[in-house]
Amino acid sequence: MTQRVRVHIQGDGSSAVATVEAGPAGGASEIERALDEAGVIHGIDDSLCQRLAARLANPTFGAANVVVANEDMAESGHDEQIEVCIAVGTEAERSGTAVLHIPVTAAQVIARVHARRDAVPGMTVDGRRVEPGDAKSVDPMPKFGEGTALRPNGEVRATCAGVLVFRPGAVLEVFADYERRGHVNPRSGDIESRGSLRIVKGDVMRGAAVAAAKHVTVDGTINGGSVYTRGSLRVDGGIIGLETALVSVAGDVWVRHTESAAVECAGHLEVESDSLGSRLHAGSVKVGNRIVGGVVMAERSLVVQDVGSDTSTATVIMAGEPLDRPLDAEPRGFRLEDAKRLLEQRLAFDKRKGLSPEILEQMKRERVNRRHRLNGLRQSLTADASIEILGMAHPGVTICLGTERMTLKTQIFRARYSIDKATGRIRRQSVE
């Protein structure tokens, strides 16, 4: 009698595969005989074998590579362990070797705890025991700190919106007002907080960015990095641009000094010492010492001690200049990636670098529309705008109020500039 069903075991015993040829009608006994001849005694798929037996009633039925049995795989054991349930980006973060700083929302599932599991041996389809491998090495269970809650089902949820801080094997916690110790750089990753943020004994370095919905304090300097916040900003050191820093603040800014920096601030910007070669723009500006080089703009008032230099460094100071507020564009929320994309595109447009012709053209059209809108604001702001020089202004300094401008030919001492409402021209008054 022709044998229609043949079974063979894969070399490692992981599965058994059946081949069915056309022939005389048959049934379940043929499948059982083929399994016995091959030595298959474990992991047989009974439901599949029943369906296959029913098909054997058809003499023309044939099939190949039908998996009729599978091994039980050995499972390594592990101690109680935690799985962070938030996507992370860098290789260091994925490998679990880095401290994570990730924005989260209230009640968000941030991790799951997996109970201890004993090792389970496996068995091949021909009945051979498979020993489990060595237990996986895992970090000790972290302490669940502030802003976290462990549920009976093993879920760990954030109890508030803020920044998730996870140090593998040490602690998992969520801070609504977050404190970061040390430098923020590409290795540490960007930091985003839905509360306030403080950088303690550290700088925001080139290639890194921080963002917060509330107040940001940097104990060190912003050294080529970027800061975005809907609150206010205090920098105990300086803001050094390195042609890469973008600082955009919806509130007030206090900083020790600026150098080659780009800062826009919807509130009051105070530079305690010098502003060197920087582009500053705020609702109002006060510079405690000198402005040398660059452009400093205010919507309402600009107050400075000295402007320019003995070498007639090109320096522009402006008042009555409306500020386009990028961080007010998304009132429903604020994400670091949106702010970075918007402001970096603007910087790239200014330098005409790294943008496709299509994006450049689109941004040109947007700038034209924005210029028309800002022109209307400029007219209303200029009427009450002023520039006060409490010390000396050097020749070569350009003073702008709205659309009116003048370049100083000689040294000027203690002067206040505003628009004469009768003539519409810049007028100078002495500061007592």
Side-chain angles (χ1 to χ4, degrees), residues 37-183:
E37 291 176 354
V40 178
I41 62 173
H42 183 77
I44 298 171
D45 188 337
D46 293 328
S47 175
L48 175 64
C49 289
Q50 289 173 7
R51 295 196 302 272
L52 196 60
R55 301 290 298 276
L56 288 175
N58 180 357
T60 63
F61 171 69
N65 298 320
V66 181
V67 179
V68 292
N70 284 292
E71 70 171 341
D72 287 338
M73 297 183 66
E75 297 180 6
S76 300
H78 61 71
D79 292 330
E80 188 178 41
Q81 64 183 23
I82 187 169
E83 173 195 5
V84 177
C85 301
I86 298 174
V88 294
T90 68
E91 183 177 348
E93 289 170 340
R94 288 194 298 271
S95 67
T97 60
V99 177
L100 304 187
H101 308 90
I102 305 171
V104 296
T105 58
Q108 181 175 346
V109 177
I110 55 178
R112 287 187 175 87
V113 174
H114 299 285
R116 183 183 184 278
R117 186 179 68 188
D118 294 328
V120 178
M123 183 170 288
T124 63
V125 296
D126 53 358
R128 289 178 287 125
R129 179 185 171 96
V130 180
E131 296 298 333
D134 294 336
K136 294 180 180 179
S137 176
V138 297
D139 292 313
M141 280 293 292
K143 172 187 174 183
F144 298 112
E146 178 181 342
T148 64
L150 175 61
R151 303 291 179 84
N153 63 358
E155 289 184 348
V156 182
R157 291 182 178 266
T159 60
C160 62
V163 170
L164 164 69
V165 178
F166 177 46
R167 299 177 182 87
V171 66
L172 183 145
E173 49 198 342
V174 175
F175 293 103
D177 296 317
Y178 175 58
E179 186 175 279
R180 155 77 181 182
R181 292 186 174 272
H183 299 313

Side-chain angles (χ1 to χ4, degrees), residues 397-412:
V397 170
T398 299
I399 296 172
C400 301
L401 284 155
T403 58
E404 295 294 313
R405 64 172 50 212
M406 60 182 294
T407 301
L408 301 182
K409 304 298 183 183
T410 60
Q411 289 183 340
I412 299 295

Side-chain angles (χ1 to χ4, degrees), residues 55 111 146 181 222 225 235 249 288 317 340 349 361 410:
R55 301 290 298 276
E146 178 181 342
R181 292 186 174 272
I222 299 174
V235 185
V249 180
I317 54 177
K340 287 177 71 174
F349 180 85
E361 188 60 35
T410 60

Side-chain angles (χ1 to χ4, degrees), residues 288-302:
N289 195 21
R290 301 178 301 157
I291 298 174
V292 180
V295 181
V296 178
M297 298 170 280
E299 286 191 317
R300 298 177 298 278
S301 67
L302 188 158

Side-chain angles (χ1 to χ4, degrees), residues 87-367:
V88 294
T90 68
E91 183 177 348
E93 289 170 340
R94 288 194 298 271
S95 67
T97 60
V99 177
L100 304 187
H101 308 90
I102 305 171
V104 296
T105 58
Q108 181 175 346
V109 177
I110 55 178
R112 287 187 175 87
V113 174
H114 299 285
R116 183 183 184 278
R117 186 179 68 188
D118 294 328
V120 178
M123 183 170 288
T124 63
V125 296
D126 53 358
R128 289 178 287 125
R129 179 185 171 96
V130 180
E131 296 298 333
D134 294 336
K136 294 180 180 179
S137 176
V138 297
D139 292 313
M141 280 293 292
K143 172 187 174 183
F144 298 112
E146 178 181 342
T148 64
L150 175 61
R151 303 291 179 84
N153 63 358
E155 289 184 348
V156 182
R157 291 182 178 266
T159 60
C160 62
V163 170
L164 164 69
V165 178
F166 177 46
R167 299 177 182 87
V171 66
L172 183 145
E173 49 198 342
V174 175
F175 293 103
D177 296 317
Y178 175 58
E179 186 175 279
R180 155 77 181 182
R181 292 186 174 272
H183 299 313
V184 180
N185 52 37
R187 181 177 177 81
S188 72
D190 297 339
I191 297 179
E192 185 175 357
S193 170
R194 290 186 171 88
S196 295
L197 172 65
R198 182 181 179 189
I199 311 299
V200 180
K201 294 183 179 179
D203 303 333
V204 183
M205 308 295 288
R206 183 170 188 158
V210 301
K214 297 182 180 178
H215 183 73
V216 174
T217 301
V218 181
D219 285 358
T221 66
I222 299 174
N223 193 2
S226 297
V227 175
Y228 317 106
T229 174
R230 284 189 177 277
S232 55
L233 168 67
R234 179 186 175 91
V235 185
D236 287 344
I239 300 176
I240 303 171
L242 303 180
E243 297 186 349
T244 60
L246 292 166
V247 176
S248 188
V249 180
D252 301 329
V253 173
W254 187 96
V255 60
R256 190 82 61 187
H257 61 88
T258 70
E259 182 177 346
S260 302
V263 180
E264 50 185 30
C265 156
H268 177 67
L269 167 61
E270 182 168 351
V271 181
E272 184 186 59
S273 181
D274 299 334
S275 173
L276 307 177
S278 298
R279 181 181 180 86
L280 312 180
H281 198 172
S284 60
V285 177
K286 180 180 180 180
V287 178
N289 195 21
R290 301 178 301 157
I291 298 174
V292 180
V295 181
V296 178
M297 298 170 280
E299 286 191 317
R300 298 177 298 278
S301 67
L302 188 158
V303 179
V304 60
Q305 184 67 30
D306 298 323
V307 190
S309 68
D310 294 335
T311 57
S312 299
T313 304
T315 305
V316 179
I317 54 177
M318 307 173 69
E321 186 61 25
L323 175 68
D324 196 22
R325 297 173 172 80
L327 298 190
D328 292 344
E330 295 289 341
R332 296 182 182 178
F334 171 54
R335 297 189 303 166
L336 172 59
E337 58 188 78
D338 294 334
K340 287 177 71 174
R341 182 178 65 253
L342 181 66
L343 297 174
E344 286 169 1
Q345 277 191 351
R346 179 183 301 175
L347 186 64
F349 180 85
D350 290 339
K351 297 184 178 181
R352 305 301 197 273
K353 291 182 180 179
L355 295 177
S356 67
E358 293 78 9
I359 292 179
L360 276 172
E361 188 60 35
Q362 177 185 347
M363 293 185 75
K364 286 178 183 177
R365 290 195 298 269
E366 291 174 353
R367 285 209 164 190

